[in-house]
Amino acid sequence: MQLILRPYILKLKHTFTISRESRDEQPSLIVELKDDGESGFGEATSNPYYNVSIKGMMNDLQQLEPLIADSSGIPPEEFWEKMKSQLSHNMFALCALDLAYNDLYARIKGKKLYELWNYDISHNPLTNYTIGIDTIEKMVSKMKEMPWPIYKIKLGSDRDIDIVTELRKHTDAIFRVDANCGWTADETIANAKVLKELGVEFIEQPLPADDWEGHKKVFEQSVLPIIADESCQVESDVDKCYQNFHGINVKLTKCGGLTPARRMLVKARKLGMKTMVGCMTESTVGISAIAHLLPLLDYVDMDGALLLAEDIASGVRIENGEIFYSDLNGTGVTLT
């Protein structure tokens, strides 16, 4: 099995701002695995918050070339465990590798990934479209530029309620808000009351990741559901989030790929928690992988490729929130 690494710089349509950073472009790494006449593709982006660079991922993966070459044809779960033993320090790189291997494995089996997993796609949730922090006028403009049934609004500024109040004047769409650790517990409890009246469905990660006392207080007192993101990165975090959050948002890059993500989602559902998968600002390579998890989800945020000025791949297609699968097997991806 051959490993091929392709770094890209993804240009964004608009400056994307959350509570802790702004950016106009997103470095990304595409991993290709070739075997038995087929190719599988995976992706992971750089992320300063998690100290992840493209160079670091490439260096770590290149060191595994002999191990990868000798791992042809084994089940994806076994492949993941084998690679995890070498990449536990770099879950983003592990994610890209896991996505590529799952894609390749399904293609060799002649099936789409959701077919290989025996998932029913008839009740898939719609994806939201994200509006990054900006001036209120520009946030309204971004929303009008992309009419959508569900918006995720990035908050964490000193005018959060004003933002949502103004956006609500321009659409009847469902709102979700994501404060990216930018609020206090008391702020969250107070904001939730107002946001509920403004048609907000849930609040994502309002407090810093390790503020467990605050999470518990908000969980018990918020009138809106609270979904964990930064507080739920790897498999062991699901138990920590139980009875501190109403649901979890799994990011493939943080947990190490599709293989652990599936286990996290099944566990959360058994605990009675809401399930969600979120994306990074990434290409259709990563987004197409997420699409195959939809039958396990209550909510999904897989709009990353829609935020790009130009995509580098084709695969799943998204129209007005609805996801349409490629005719190809595996995750359905082709690099353009």
Side-chain angles (χ1 to χ4, degrees), residues 42-234:
E43 180 175 18
T45 57
S46 67
N47 193 306
Y49 183 75
Y50 294 101
N51 198 29
V52 175
S53 68
I54 301 300
K55 183 179 178 182
M57 287 193 286
M58 291 181 71
N59 287 342
D60 285 345
L61 289 168
Q62 284 164 346
Q63 291 179 30
L64 296 183
E65 283 194 76
L67 188 64
I68 291 167
D70 290 339
S71 301
S72 178
I74 64 177
E77 294 79 10
E78 187 179 331
F79 180 84
W80 188 84
E81 292 294 344
K82 196 172 178 181
M83 299 303 150
K84 166 75 158 46
S85 68
Q86 306 298 314
L87 284 173
S88 58
H89 63 289
N90 194 336
M91 301 302 270
F92 281 57
L94 179 60
C95 168
L97 196 56
D98 177 75
L99 266 55
Y101 191 78
N102 271 280
D103 183 21
L104 175 64
Y105 188 84
R107 290 187 197 223
I108 290 172
K109 296 289 185 183
K111 293 187 175 183
K112 294 179 174 63
L113 201 48
Y114 70 79
E115 293 172 335
L116 190 69
W117 294 337
N118 294 313
Y119 287 173
D120 176 7
I121 62 167
S122 62
H123 296 94
N124 284 354
L126 301 180
T127 181
N128 58 232
Y129 181 79
T130 303
I131 307 294
I133 297 172
D134 210 320
T135 64
I136 294 178
E137 294 74 23
K138 285 186 179 176
M139 291 178 79
V140 170
S141 175
K142 287 177 188 176
M143 196 176 69
K144 287 182 173 180
E145 178 186 292
M146 188 69 88
W148 213 254
I150 311 168
Y151 292 104
K152 181 158 98 167
I153 304 162
K154 292 287 189 176
L155 299 178
S157 71
D158 57 3
R159 59 192 196 285
D160 288 338
I161 298 300
D162 292 340
I163 288 170
V164 181
T165 300
E166 184 59 32
L167 292 181
R168 175 49 74 207
K169 294 176 184 176
H170 301 274
T171 180
D172 293 327
I174 294 168
F175 283 172
R176 299 163 178 173
V177 303
D178 182 1
N180 282 113
C181 311
W183 293 347
T184 65
D186 289 339
E187 263 185 300
T188 304
I189 293 162
N191 286 348
K193 293 174 184 174
V194 182
L195 294 171
K196 185 176 183 181
E197 294 299 314
L198 289 167
V200 170
E201 187 175 27
F202 63 73
I203 300 171
E204 188 179 333
Q205 195 69 44
L207 311 185
D210 58 356
D211 184 5
W212 292 100
E213 185 178 337
H215 297 323
K216 173 64 80 173
K217 181 178 179 180
V218 170
F219 174 76
E220 291 173 347
Q221 297 183 35
S222 171
V223 297
L224 286 176
I226 309 295
I227 307 296
D229 180 0
E230 284 87 347
S231 295
C232 190
Q233 295 182 36
V234 296

Side-chain angles (χ1 to χ4, degrees), residues 271-283:
L271 292 171
M273 301 175 78
K274 293 292 187 181
T275 55
M276 177 177 179
V277 165
C279 64
M280 300 302 190
T281 306
E282 57 193 303
S283 80

